[in-house]
Amino acid sequence: MKRSVIKGVGGYLPEKKLTNADLEQMVDTSDAWIRERTGIRERHIAAADELTSDLAIRAAKEALKNAGLSGDDIDVIVLATTTPDDTLPATAVKVQQAIGMTHGFAFDVQAVCSGFMYALSVADNYIRTGMATRALVIGAETLSRIVDWQDRNTCVLFGDGAGAVVLEAQDGDSSKADQGVLNILLRSDGRYRDLLVTTGGVSRNQKAGTILMEGREVFRHAVTNLAEIARQVMGSMDVCADEISYLVPHQANARIIDGTAKKLNFDAEHVILTLPYQGNTSAASIPLALYDGVTSGRIKRGDLLLLESMGGGFTWAGALIRF
Ligand code: ACO
């Protein structure tokens, strides 16, 4: 069978940082509250002339460079974002043009903070079925554009950034020893859609809107859903926690990450944590965490990784990948 092997990882964070001390000047909050309740210290904010595509292109070019490939080696780009440059066309085609990819196809997917996992699953299926040999999967966001900077419940949480991976088809023997994506499980449940929404939408009121979240409720579901889907994906490949080198979670809240890690019996040193210095970058957070793990030398070839995410919708997902 064909497996999707990660050949290269890239990431990009805008230059400007917004610290908790900066936020203290903007809303009724404190550095102590933000650190204690979320684990976040600072986040990056895109410059006024920096669009989601600009972030995505920087991450994509680095992933290609690290894979030793050029744009025209790629057959499909799947870009996950909730903050596209424009309502149409897809942000992915801007990336396609920028990397000089003149064949194949490119499109966006939207699953909020689980977007990267959904995009990864789509690309993995193209590779498994032989529709593509190489894929570029990107998570890119300028969440700062849809944050209500007067709402302390949400504005302290989010940041901007982009991460990308290059996947390449490689033969595997269907076992958990294979290199590449071993399995991805996706879930959504629209009954909870109202717990995390924007105040606007193209069809509803022709506005992008700003984020509204019932944080406590999202939190409650997050730990349960994440632990459950992680166990399911591990069970699907007959993998136990001690075979996994790193948990690479969506970075929403340190308490959610700690709670999930505890339920799954992972020690802190086996968890990739970028949240303190990036905040929640939605679809970009998992590829950025992967990028951090790889560039810091912690994630090495052959390591088994458990990825998990939870976001608006609700959407949630779990994946096992041998790097
Ligand atoms: N500074 C100071 N006080 C604050 C702040 C702040 N920034 N924000 C809220 N508070 C206050 C509240 O008003 C509340 O005060 P009250 O008791 O007087 O009403 C008190 O702090 C406690 O509020 P809670 O909402 O109960 O705080 P909680 O401990 O739940 O933390 C948080 C809030 C950080 C939002 C948490 O609930 C969380 O992380 N939720 C999940 C977020 C998530 O995972 N989202 C999914 C992904 S995002 C996506 O898909 C786009």
Side-chain angles (χ1 to χ4, degrees), residues 133-256:
T133 302
R134 295 195 190 96
L136 183 58
V137 184
I138 306 169
E141 301 279 15
T142 47
L143 256 279
S144 61
R145 304 272 156 74
I146 56 163
V147 164
D148 174 354
W149 290 103
Q150 272 148 23
D151 177 10
R152 70 174 185 176
N153 292 297
T154 52
C155 76
V156 302
L157 302 174
F158 298 105
D160 300 335
V165 301
V166 172
L167 301 177
E168 187 175 79
Q170 187 173 292
D171 287 325
D173 61 12
S174 298
S175 81
K176 64 179 177 182
D178 284 352
Q179 195 183 6
V181 176
L182 300 184
N183 198 13
I184 307 178
L185 299 181
L186 305 180
R187 285 281 291 121
S188 70
D189 191 336
R191 286 175 297 176
Y192 300 104
R193 71 168 303 283
D194 292 342
L195 296 177
L196 181 42
V197 293
T198 52
T199 56
V202 178
S203 181
R204 188 149 58 90
N205 59 9
Q206 299 78 59
K207 293 188 171 80
T210 52
I211 299 172
L212 275 180
M213 178 169 71
E214 298 281 342
R216 212 174 299 185
E217 275 303 294
V218 179
F219 191 104
R220 201 167 62 78
H221 284 89
V223 179
T224 314
N225 288 347
L226 289 170
E228 190 179 292
I229 202 153
R231 285 198 189 104
Q232 280 169 359
V233 78
M234 285 161 70
S236 75
M237 295 305 294
D238 194 22
V239 160
C240 358
D242 58 10
E243 292 174 74
I244 294 170
S245 302
Y246 289 101
L247 175 66
V248 187
H250 168 51
Q251 313 277 322
N253 184 314
R255 290 184 295 139
I256 295 177

Side-chain angles (χ1 to χ4, degrees), residues 101-124:
M101 173 183 159
T102 52
H103 72 288
F105 56 105
F107 61 97
D108 293 356
V109 302
Q110 211 281 59
V112 202
C113 296
S114 298
F116 178 77
M117 300 287 272
Y118 277 58
L120 188 69
S121 165
V122 171
D124 180 45

Side-chain angles (χ1 to χ4, degrees), residues 6-163:
I6 298 181
K7 300 301 281 186
V9 188
Y12 176 72
L13 292 163
E15 209 174 298
K16 186 187 166 196
K17 289 179 187 172
L18 184 73
T19 64
N20 291 351
D22 296 330
L23 282 161
E24 284 177 350
Q25 309 302 312
M26 297 161 63
V27 287
D28 181 14
T29 191
S30 67
D31 172 50
W33 191 96
I34 303 170
R35 274 192 288 119
E36 193 183 306
R37 306 307 292 166
T38 73
I40 301 168
R41 291 166 181 268
E42 60 186 32
R43 62 294 284 147
H44 293 251
I45 304 292
D49 61 352
E50 216 173 14
L51 305 187
T52 294
S53 60
D54 296 314
L55 277 49
I57 289 163
R58 298 282 287 258
K61 285 187 172 171
E62 194 183 356
L64 282 168
K65 188 171 148 230
N66 290 336
L69 296 169
S70 71
D72 238 358
D73 294 320
I74 300 296
D75 304 313
V76 54
I77 300 174
V78 191
L79 186 151
T81 189
T82 301
T83 47
D85 288 10
D86 301 296
T87 302
L88 68 87
T91 303
V93 296
K94 268 200 185 170
V95 180
Q96 183 182 24
Q97 181 192 17
I99 64 168
M101 173 183 159
T102 52
H103 72 288
F105 56 105
F107 61 97
D108 293 356
V109 302
Q110 211 281 59
V112 202
C113 296
S114 298
F116 178 77
M117 300 287 272
Y118 277 58
L120 188 69
S121 165
V122 171
D124 180 45
N125 275 293
Y126 286 144
I127 286 178
R128 280 175 192 247
T129 56
M131 228 173 121
T133 302
R134 295 195 190 96
L136 183 58
V137 184
I138 306 169
E141 301 279 15
T142 47
L143 256 279
S144 61
R145 304 272 156 74
I146 56 163
V147 164
D148 174 354
W149 290 103
Q150 272 148 23
D151 177 10
R152 70 174 185 176
N153 292 297
T154 52
C155 76
V156 302
L157 302 174
F158 298 105
D160 300 335

